[in-house]
Amino acid sequence: MTEKVIIFDTTLRDGEQVPGCQLNTIEKIQVAKALEELGVDVLEAGFPISSPGDFNSVVEISKAVSNPVICALTRAVKKDIEVAAESLQFAKKKRIHTGIGVSDYHMRYKIKATPEEILRRAADAVKYAKKFVEDVEFYAEDAGRSENEFLARVIEAVIDAGATVVNIPDTTGYCMPLEYGSKIRYLKENVRNIDKAIISTHCHNDLGMATANTMMGVLNGARQVEVTINGIGERAGNTSLEEVAMIIKSHHDLNLETSINSTLIYKTSRLVSNLMSMPVQANKAIVGRNAFAHSSGIHQDGVLKKRENYEIIDPVSVGVRESSIILTARSGRAALNHRLEMLGFSYGKEELDDIYHRFLLLADKKKEINDEDIRILTGQVFQGDKSVKLEHLQVICGKSAIPVATVGLNINGEIHTATSVGNGPVDAAFTAVKQLISKTVHLEEFLIQAITQGSDDLGKVHVQLEHDEKIYYGFGTSTDIVTASVEAFIDAITKIK
Ligand code: KIV
Ligand code: ZN
């Protein structure tokens, strides 16, 4: 029989506290609704005592979503607990998450209290929270570096005080997987009343071991995992939801399951990345741009023969339309032929050899060969919208100004102009371009990179557009980042047939 692992999402608390990731209440509600649709069991909505904004977000999220348990974080402080309880007043299912540091470092240098005092404050906080809600989770902060024996005493005391879930955070991301796993096992074997509570993992990624530690926790008896979308969170982040959900889904031998609807993973990842302006690294497991992209000839050939040769996850199962074959100088004939077929061309062996020879010459000069290059190689130069060029661009933006952009496009020799407002200069410019073209396009990805380091250097923009369920890529470079963005946008548009 499979056992359920509870998914506790802390994107809106541990994730959102990262500098630059702050969301307003409306955006938090959007993320909370997406997390509810994704199927998370517990949603940590914020740390209500920390600011009126956070308090209000917990109130509004409690009203907006009904399936997940809504959780609010507190310190082991009465006032925090009272404010958290108040913020949860509209939640259909509610939880208070309270706790205190239990490592020597935290007790000695942060809290400056004796272990006995910590033990008392931990139990008192849980008892106090119980006056307001039935479901109380206790976190033993920095449990990863704490003495197992003392940790076990604290956990026993808080369960006696009524804790329903006991969270064992590796707050600093220090533990090795075996060490973290055996800590959970130690608690399972040495805490008298451990069967009365669910053990939760909360692992940080400072040494890149958050997911491994979480899984070791689960293998040793934890049945709740604290995770974030894209692994965002303090410093190097938290365990990522998508990784744990897909490990459990892929490894049937574990006899575990989660309530996550995996086909919504990619969409949720994009939403969080876009709203928090936090790009996902290209090689990030499950949701990175390259997670299902194959570029070496050997791999491309293998994947074209049978996808499973080089993919352990079907991209469709996480909401990615299809795997991609990136054409570079390392691609073989099989990959080139596959792309030619996708573009509607069919060649015999000799013709293919000839195109492949020219393909390699071009690929040595260019990093990546796109569909337009392929058409040129075959002699079938694509006309389409290629005659769209950026003629002029003017933007007004700045603090307290409403961003406005005026764009002039040369379309088939005629100049067309449009003006639009937006939530920033790039958004305003893209909206103006959309007014001038006849196609409906959706921006799926937008990435800005500085090519070098000075503020006067070139910026490179990569965009990914969707039109009629197909994806088009565009690039632009300029010392002016808005111009580079519009050039990239137009570059992608001109590739649409
Ligand atoms: O990392 C940590 O210890 C935390 C707790 C507040 C749960 O985020
Ligand atoms: Zn944390």
Side-chain angles (χ1 to χ4, degrees):
M1 216 193 57
T2 54
E3 272 189 71
K4 177 165 171 162
V5 174
I6 297 165
I7 300 290
F8 176 117
D9 181 277
T10 184
T11 304
L12 291 175
R13 200 278 298 167
D14 213 321
E16 203 260 351
Q17 69 198 38
V18 171
C21 281
Q22 275 69 40
L23 300 179
N24 61 37
T25 302
I26 293 170
E27 291 165 331
K28 284 188 192 171
I29 292 172
Q30 215 181 327
V31 173
K33 285 189 168 163
L35 292 171
E36 178 177 43
E37 214 192 334
L38 182 66
V40 307
D41 301 288
V42 187
L43 195 161
E44 190 161 51
F47 182 16
I49 192 87
S50 66
S51 73
D54 230 38
F55 176 90
N56 191 40
S57 297
V58 179
V59 172
E60 295 306 323
I61 290 170
S62 300
K63 291 181 192 163
V65 303
S66 39
N67 289 336
V69 173
I70 305 298
C71 180
L73 186 81
T74 81
R75 293 165 296 182
V77 170
K78 277 190 169 173
K79 185 71 188 159
D80 283 29
I81 295 169
E82 287 158 13
V83 172
E86 198 190 334
S87 73
L88 290 168
Q89 61 187 300
F90 299 106
K92 304 347 132 292
K93 297 178 241 167
K94 49 186 101 172
R95 177 181 296 178
I96 290 180
H97 189 190
T98 190
I100 196 163
V102 296
S103 65
D104 277 354
Y105 285 106
H106 280 221
M107 291 191 288
R108 198 176 299 194
Y109 303 114
K110 185 181 127 178
I111 313 165
K112 298 184 175 37
T114 63
E116 293 312 311
E117 171 71 3
I118 295 289
L119 204 60
R120 190 187 56 73
R121 280 163 65 174
D124 284 354
V126 171
K127 274 190 211 138
Y128 195 61
K130 282 297 255 196
K131 290 187 196 292
F132 302 95
V133 294
E134 183 41 44
D135 191 1
V136 175
E137 173 168 338
F138 174 81
Y139 64 87
E141 196 179 8
D142 205 15
R145 293 188 298 174
S146 68
E147 295 288 335
N148 282 352
E149 230 172 278
F150 177 65
L151 178 64
R153 284 181 63 208
V154 174
I155 296 303
E156 196 163 295
V158 297
I159 296 176
D160 274 342
T164 45
V165 181
V166 286
N167 176 13
I168 314 300
D170 183 20
T171 303
T172 56
Y174 176 74
C175 284
M176 295 284 283
L178 277 179
E179 187 186 359
Y180 188 74
S182 60
K183 192 173 276 287
I184 302 296
R185 177 157 297 265
Y186 181 89
L187 297 176
K188 272 290 231 196
E189 289 171 354
N190 292 283
V191 173
R192 167 186 44 84
N193 47 7
I194 198 72
D195 292 339
K196 295 210 180 85
I198 293 168
I199 302 182
S200 183
T201 64
H202 179 112
C203 300
H204 279 269
N205 206 29
D206 300 65
L207 291 171
M209 294 188 290
T211 299
N213 284 340
T214 296
M215 287 314 300
M216 284 304 281
V218 170
L219 294 181
N220 284 282
R223 283 296 173 267
Q224 175 179 284
V225 291
E226 304 197 1
V227 290
T228 60
I229 298 290
N230 301 334
I232 59 168
E234 278 286 335
R235 307 179 309 278
N238 288 65
T239 307
S240 60
L241 181 151
E242 59 276 11
E243 291 172 14
V244 174
M246 291 315 290
I247 290 170
I248 291 177
K249 193 177 162 96
S250 311
H251 284 265
H252 303 282
D253 50 317
L254 296 177
N255 287 327
L256 296 169
E257 62 180 5
T258 70
S259 53
I260 296 300
N261 175 354
S262 68
T263 60
L264 298 177
I265 284 180
Y266 186 68
K267 184 174 137 190
T268 317
S269 159
R270 300 303 320 146
L271 177 77
V272 169
S273 167
N274 289 337
L275 288 179
M276 292 193 169
S277 309
M278 187 77 167
V280 175
Q281 75 191 55
N283 60 332
K284 166 82 184 64
I286 323 289
V287 290
R289 186 154 29 95
N290 294 345
F292 300 99
H294 305 273
S295 54
S296 94
I298 296 172
H299 287 214
Q300 291 180 339
D301 182 50
V303 120
L304 291 172
K305 284 181 175 139
K306 190 160 175 64
R307 192 186 57 74
E308 287 82 350
N309 280 333
Y310 285 100
E311 276 181 3
I312 55 159
I313 297 169
D314 181 350
V316 175
S317 73
V318 295
V320 173
R321 226 172 268 121
E322 57 193 358
S323 325
S324 49
I325 301 283
I326 311 294
L327 294 180
T328 67
R330 278 160 303 287
S331 299
R333 278 176 185 68
L336 176 62
N337 196 33
H338 171 77
R339 182 69 63 87
L340 285 166
E341 282 173 2
M342 278 174 63
L343 294 173
F345 302 113
S346 165
Y347 293 103
K349 186 178 173 315
E350 269 179 31
E351 275 173 313
L352 181 62
D353 280 351
D354 182 45
I355 298 172
Y356 184 62
H357 174 70
R358 283 183 282 128
F359 164 84
L360 284 183
L361 292 177
L362 183 63
D364 270 339
K365 292 196 194 103
K366 268 190 102 189
K367 273 191 189 156
E368 199 180 315
I369 301 293
N370 59 32
D371 292 353
E372 200 184 323
D373 299 324
I374 303 266
R375 286 193 176 91
I376 292 168
L377 286 171
T378 61
Q380 311 284 318
V381 182
F382 170 59
Q383 292 305 320
D385 249 351
K386 196 53 205 156
S387 48
V388 178
K389 284 204 191 82
L390 178 63
E391 199 66 32
H392 63 259
L393 168 68
Q394 187 180 10
V395 289
I396 300 171
C397 63
K399 191 166 159 51
S400 310
I402 295 173
V404 185
T406 300
V407 174
L409 296 186
N410 181 331
I411 305 176
N412 295 322
E414 264 183 54
I415 306 296
H416 300 259
T417 306
T419 298
S420 178
V421 292
N423 63 18
V426 173
D427 183 49
F430 283 5
T431 310
V433 171
K434 282 198 231 167
Q435 287 172 16
L436 296 175
I437 55 159
S438 50
K439 298 168 180 96
T440 311
V441 293
H442 299 286
L443 184 64
E444 292 232 329
E445 190 167 304
F446 175 65
L447 193 74
I448 301 181
Q449 284 171 311
I451 292 181
T452 44
Q453 282 176 345
S455 61
D456 57 346
D457 282 324
L458 276 184
K460 175 175 156 193
V461 175
H462 160 106
V463 301
Q464 189 177 315
L465 297 184
E466 186 270 341
H467 169 76
D468 256 359
E469 303 211 338
K470 285 210 181 99
I471 294 296
Y472 299 88
Y473 299 94
F475 298 94
T477 50
S478 170
T479 46
D480 168 4
I481 211 66
V482 185
T483 302
S485 305
V486 177
E487 295 278 16
F489 197 60
I490 294 170
D491 186 38
I493 288 169
T494 58
K495 290 173 183 162
I496 301 172
K497 272 197 217 172

